[in-house]
Amino acid sequence: MSKKRFIVVVLDSFGIGAMDDVVKVRPNDIGSNTCLHLLEYPHTKTWPHLQSLGLMNALDKDVVDFVKSSNAIFGSSELKHFGADSYFGHQEISGTNPKKPLFTHIQIHLDDIEKDLIASGFNVSRIEQDGLQVLNVNNMIIIGDNMETDLGQAINVVGAMDTCGFEMIQEVGHIVRKHVKVPRVIAFGGSDVTIERIKANIITKDGFIGVDAPASGVYDANYHVVHIGYGVDHTKQVPLALARIGIENHFYGKVENIVHNPLGTNYPCVDTADTLNALINDLDTYDEGFFFLNIQETDLAGHGENPERYIDVLNIADEQLGVLMSKLTPEDILVVMADHGNDPTIGHSKHTRERVPLLIKRIGHEGLIDIGTRRTMADVGQTVADYFGTEIEFGTSFLSEIEKH
C-alpha cells in the first residue's frame, strides 16, 4: 500500500462572504467579505496559485484580473460554531460538533470553583478589588476573567510557573472548566514572573475582574498555554482517530497550541514564510501523515484593519503554496481553507462571521468539481479520517466527490 498524506492549510480569517444569519446574530458583520474586499483594494496582489486552486470559483465572482479556474476542485463551508472564532474554528475543522457557549463573568462561579478546588486539595483565598473578586490558588495561580478578549468570552487561569509548574496550572484549568460554560478557559503561565507581580496587575472593567496578562509578564519568558474549550472533546476528533491507527499528525503555527495532538510533531511559529517552510521541509521527511497548518499573520492584519498588510501576507503565502504543491504526489490531498473572516475594511477590528473557501488539490486531476457549500467545517476532519480508512463521530466526508475523474 502506497504512503498517503493529507494536508490542511488554514489561511486564518480569509472568509468569502457573510453568513445569512449575521443579520440576527452579528449585525456589525453585515456586508463583510474578506476575500472580495481585499481583491477590490488597490494594492498589488500576486495570488496565481490561489487562483489556480479555484479561489474565484469558491467566491463565485470574477474580479478584474482574477477569474475562475477551469481546472479546480472547490467548494465552501458555513461555520457551525457560534460566532467567528479561531479556536472553535480549528476544533470544528478537527471534527467537533460545537455547542453554543454562554457569556458570563467569574463572579457567579466563584463559590462552586472554590469548593471544588478545596476538595481537590488546593488552598484558596480571594482577592477583592472594586467590589469584585478573583480566586488565589496556593498563592501561585489567579483565576479571573479574561481582560484581553471580548469581556465574558473566556476565563483565565494565570500562574507563576517557576513555583507551581505548568501541570498544576492545567489541573486548575480543568477544574474551572467543569463549572463554567464560557467559550474558553485559558490556562497559562510563564517563567521569571512572581505571583506578586501577577496580583499587582489585577484590573477591573465593566463588572469584570482579571489579570492584565501582558502587564503581568507571563508572556515574556517560557510561555505555556492550554485552551480548554466548551463542549470540545478531543477524543472525538480526527487527530486521535488517526493516532489510534498509527498515523502521525504534524501541526504548524497556531494549530499546535489549540488542537490536541496525541501522536506526531508540533512546530510553533507565527511568521508566514517560516511556518510554510517548516511544512514544505517536512514533506521531504515524512511520506505519510496528517499535516495541519495555520497562517496567523492574515488574522493579525485583519485585527489591525490593515488591508495592505493582509494582502502582503497572502502574497507570501501564495508563493509558498506553489512550492508546497510542487512537493505533492498523486496520492496526496491538499486543502486550503479558512476558519472564519476578518474583513479589514468592514469598520471594526473583530472577526467577521463568513463562509470559508475549500480549495482542494490532487495531482493529475482535470476539470471542475464543485463540492458545494458544506454545513460544517467538520466535513474536512471527516474527509481526513475517511482518507486514512477510519472515521469520526461528526461531519460528512467529501472524499468520494473529489476522487480523480
Side-chain angles (χ1 to χ4, degrees), residues 256-276:
E256 67 86 26
N257 71 28
I258 58 177
V259 178
H260 177 68
N261 184 0
L263 178 68
T265 63
N266 293 305
Y267 186 86
C269 190
V270 175
D271 180 83
T272 297
D274 289 349
T275 306
L276 279 164

Side-chain angles (χ1 to χ4, degrees), residues 90-97 236-238 378 381-382 392 394-395:
H90 285 77
Q91 306 306 323
E92 186 178 333
I93 294 167
S94 301
T96 289
N97 182 8
K236 297 181 179 180
Q237 294 181 337
V238 68
Q382 188 68 267
I392 54 178
F394 187 59

Side-chain angles (χ1 to χ4, degrees), residues 66-230:
F66 287 81
V67 298
K68 296 177 182 177
S69 173
S70 60
N71 182 22
I73 309 172
F74 68 95
S76 64
S77 180
E78 296 179 344
L79 312 183
K80 176 69 163 56
H81 71 272
F82 180 80
D85 183 78
S86 293
Y87 173 81
F88 277 100
H90 285 77
Q91 306 306 323
E92 186 178 333
I93 294 167
S94 301
T96 289
N97 182 8
K99 300 177 182 178
K100 184 176 179 179
L102 299 178
F103 296 83
T104 58
H105 52 74
I106 190 68
Q107 298 306 293
I108 64 174
H109 302 291
L110 291 174
D111 291 345
D112 290 338
I113 295 171
E114 182 178 47
K115 182 178 179 181
D116 199 346
L117 285 167
I118 293 171
S120 300
F122 292 98
N123 295 315
V124 184
S125 60
R126 298 193 184 194
I127 299 173
E128 184 169 332
Q129 187 169 308
D130 298 331
L132 302 171
Q133 295 179 327
V134 297
L135 297 180
N136 179 8
V137 182
N138 286 1
N139 202 34
M140 300 173 181
I141 297 168
I142 301 297
I143 303 171
D145 296 307
N146 181 301
M147 306 301 287
E148 280 77 58
T149 188
D150 290 348
L151 295 174
Q153 285 198 0
I155 288 174
N156 282 0
V157 177
V158 188
M161 209 160 65
D162 291 337
T163 54
C164 64
F166 189 54
E167 286 188 7
M168 182 185 293
I169 295 171
Q170 291 183 88
E171 182 182 357
V172 172
H174 284 286
I175 291 172
V176 173
R177 177 77 275 177
K178 290 190 297 181
H179 298 282
V180 300
K181 295 183 178 180
V182 295
R184 273 183 281 177
V185 171
I186 308 175
F188 58 96
S191 296
D192 301 332
V193 61
T194 64
I195 189 64
E196 285 73 24
R197 182 175 174 184
I198 292 173
K199 290 190 290 187
N201 284 283
I202 294 171
I203 59 175
T204 62
K205 182 180 179 181
D206 299 333
F208 292 84
I209 181 172
V211 174
D212 180 340
S216 74
V218 292
Y219 295 154
D220 296 345
N222 197 30
Y223 175 63
H224 282 58
V225 62
V226 60
H227 297 255
I228 313 170
Y230 177 61

